[in-house]
Amino acid sequence: VAKVFIDISVSLDGFAAGPVVSADHPMGIGGRVLHAWSSGGDVAEPQTAPDQDAAQAMFANTGAFVLGRRTFDVGEPLWGEDGAFERPCFVVTGRRGLPLVKGPTTFTFVTSGVAAAIVAARTAAGDKDVCIMGGPAIARQALAAGLVDELRLHVVPALLGNGARLFDADKPQGRFQALGVSQTPLATHLHYRVSMATPAGQ
Amino acid sequence: VAKVFIDISVSLDGFAAGPVVSADHPMGIGGRVLHAWSSGGDVAEPQTAPDQDAAQAMFANTGAFVLGRRTFDVGEPLWGEDGAFERPCFVVTGRRGLPLVKGPTTFTFVTSGVAAAIVAARTAAGDKDVCIMGGPAIARQALAAGLVDELRLHVVPALLGNGARLFDADKPQGRFQALGVSQTPLATHLHYRVSMATPAGQ
């Protein structure tokens, strides 16, 4: 059955991006460390097999992506001529715009909110999954709205101390079911089934 | 070599206690879920071997504990006649008081701060380790002061939505080295070596 999953990296202190996100610092100041596990790491701490598996899981059965406007704005120059995702991508934004085609990747701009973007992505994905890749506000809104089936959370062993938290203002409550974990020097990869229906008990 | 480690449970959204900590809700409202892995779980989700191993690791080579005043105040009625820890315990507090002896456990009240409590605990522990068991402010201050060698973090698969964050106002920066992970339905047990010396890079 096709599912909707969030795939996002956070620091050990819960930040999905460092402060002052900009073209120069697309993950915020200090935030580059968040994606070392997926981008290959460096010589001292290379990517290892569980990192590669986690990176592949973001794409393997994915038919469409959902992302926020800021993620699109800072990511687009980095994603190259083919747009990197090779799938229909739905950008949640307040600004209207014609779809942007970059080779096998299309970016469609959705001005009616996260839920509408997920519906559009589900349709585009057919029997494949929908991946919500962030930013954190988009992921949080989707969780709070009960629209998420699974969470793939990559906890990077660094403290950023500041930035955009994955879990912040919307304060969703819920319990998750552990589906697996792997750990490398670059990240601990956590996989959960999401159940927002049951609020946390006493 | 004797080391200082933090042993603390947090929700997936980073709270080490729910809101409104009181005698009725010693872990805050909704916070009881944070300690299900160590207290035995329930019938639906029983404690399993990795949970028991994690609980034992808090005591196995530990010669003394450090805790905050609020943790002491809400925990003390629950810890029974023998004080539960069977080790010298150092309570960081603003209120002076004579040591409290409960069978094999002694609680000594330290009014000169976290660092002084850790020094006293190190002396009492001899060649054994010192465990900082929280609350979150005590753990954070110890981290920020560079006094912590290892972190044992138990991430419970629930969102509390509110309460006291482990990583909040003091905003320490640093990188951690993964030492191991295990996962059960009740918690993901993360073990890190702490290095606060190197601030997070770009």
Side-chain angles (χ1 to χ4, degrees):
Chain A
V1 179
K3 58 186 184 286
V4 176
F5 69 101
I6 294 170
D7 195 304
I8 198 163
S9 299
V10 295
S11 60
L12 196 55
D13 49 351
F15 295 103
V20 198
V21 170
S22 67
D24 285 346
H25 297 290
M27 295 299 295
I29 294 171
R32 191 189 289 178
V33 67
L34 293 174
H35 284 179
W37 68 268
S38 61
S39 61
D42 56 28
V43 174
E45 293 289 6
Q47 195 188 39
T48 52
D51 298 316
Q52 292 160 352
D53 293 346
Q56 284 168 5
M58 188 176 176
F59 286 87
N61 195 45
T62 298
F65 288 92
V66 172
L67 63 159
R69 179 78 203 202
R70 172 166 284 219
T71 301
F72 172 80
D73 283 345
V74 299
E76 198 245 328
L78 309 174
W79 292 331
E81 285 305 303
D82 72 354
F85 298 102
E86 306 186 353
R87 314 275 196 291
C89 296
F90 295 86
V91 182
V92 182
T93 175
R95 281 180 276 159
R96 294 177 188 279
L98 292 175
L100 175 65
V101 179
K102 303 191 89 169
T105 307
T106 57
F107 294 97
T108 301
F109 301 94
V110 179
T111 55
S112 42
V114 173
I118 292 174
V119 168
R122 268 193 180 279
T123 302
D127 61 356
K128 296 215 161 186
D129 298 337
V130 170
C131 174
I132 300 172
M133 54 178 282
I138 297 293
R140 210 160 57 219
Q141 289 165 33
L143 268 178
L147 299 173
V148 178
D149 301 304
E150 293 184 8
L151 171 65
R152 290 183 176 274
L153 186 65
H154 313 282
V155 179
V156 172
L159 299 178
L160 290 181
N162 216 328
R165 287 190 191 274
L166 172 57
F167 295 111
D168 197 2
D170 302 316
K171 298 190 180 305
Q173 294 198 338
R175 293 203 185 187
F176 292 13
Q177 181 187 344
L179 295 177
V181 67
S182 64
Q183 189 176 63
T184 76
L186 296 172
T188 301
H189 306 287
L190 297 157
H191 186 194
Y192 292 105
R193 181 167 297 137
V194 176
S195 44
M196 299 300 291
T198 311
Q202 298 296 313
Chain B
V1 179
K3 56 185 182 288
V4 176
F5 69 103
I6 293 170
D7 195 305
I8 198 162
S9 299
V10 295
S11 60
L12 196 54
D13 48 351
F15 295 104
V20 198
V21 170
S22 68
D24 284 347
H25 297 289
M27 295 297 294
I29 294 172
R32 191 189 289 178
V33 67
L34 292 174
H35 284 177
W37 69 267
S38 60
S39 61
D42 55 29
V43 174
E45 294 288 6
Q47 195 187 41
T48 51
D51 298 316
Q52 292 161 352
D53 293 346
Q56 285 169 6
M58 188 176 175
F59 287 86
N61 196 45
T62 297
F65 288 92
V66 172
L67 62 160
R69 179 78 203 201
R70 169 164 287 220
T71 300
F72 172 79
D73 283 344
V74 299
E76 196 246 329
L78 309 174
W79 292 331
E81 286 304 303
D82 72 354
F85 299 102
E86 305 185 355
R87 315 275 197 289
C89 297
F90 296 87
V91 182
V92 181
T93 176
R95 281 180 277 160
R96 292 175 190 281
L98 293 174
L100 176 65
V101 179
K102 302 191 89 168
T105 308
T106 56
F107 295 98
T108 301
F109 301 94
V110 179
T111 55
S112 41
V114 173
I118 292 174
V119 168
R122 269 193 179 279
T123 301
D127 60 357
K128 295 213 160 188
D129 298 337
V130 171
C131 174
I132 301 172
M133 53 178 285
I138 297 294
R140 211 161 55 219
Q141 288 165 33
L143 269 178
L147 298 173
V148 179
D149 300 305
E150 292 185 9
L151 170 65
R152 290 182 177 273
L153 186 65
H154 313 282
V155 179
V156 172
L159 300 178
L160 290 181
N162 216 328
R165 287 189 191 277
L166 172 57
F167 294 111
D168 197 2
D170 300 317
K171 298 190 180 306
Q173 294 198 337
R175 293 203 184 185
F176 293 13
Q177 180 187 344
L179 295 177
V181 67
S182 63
Q183 189 176 61
T184 77
L186 296 171
T188 301
H189 306 287
L190 297 156
H191 186 194
Y192 292 105
R193 181 167 297 137
V194 175
S195 44
M196 299 300 291
T198 310
Q202 299 295 311

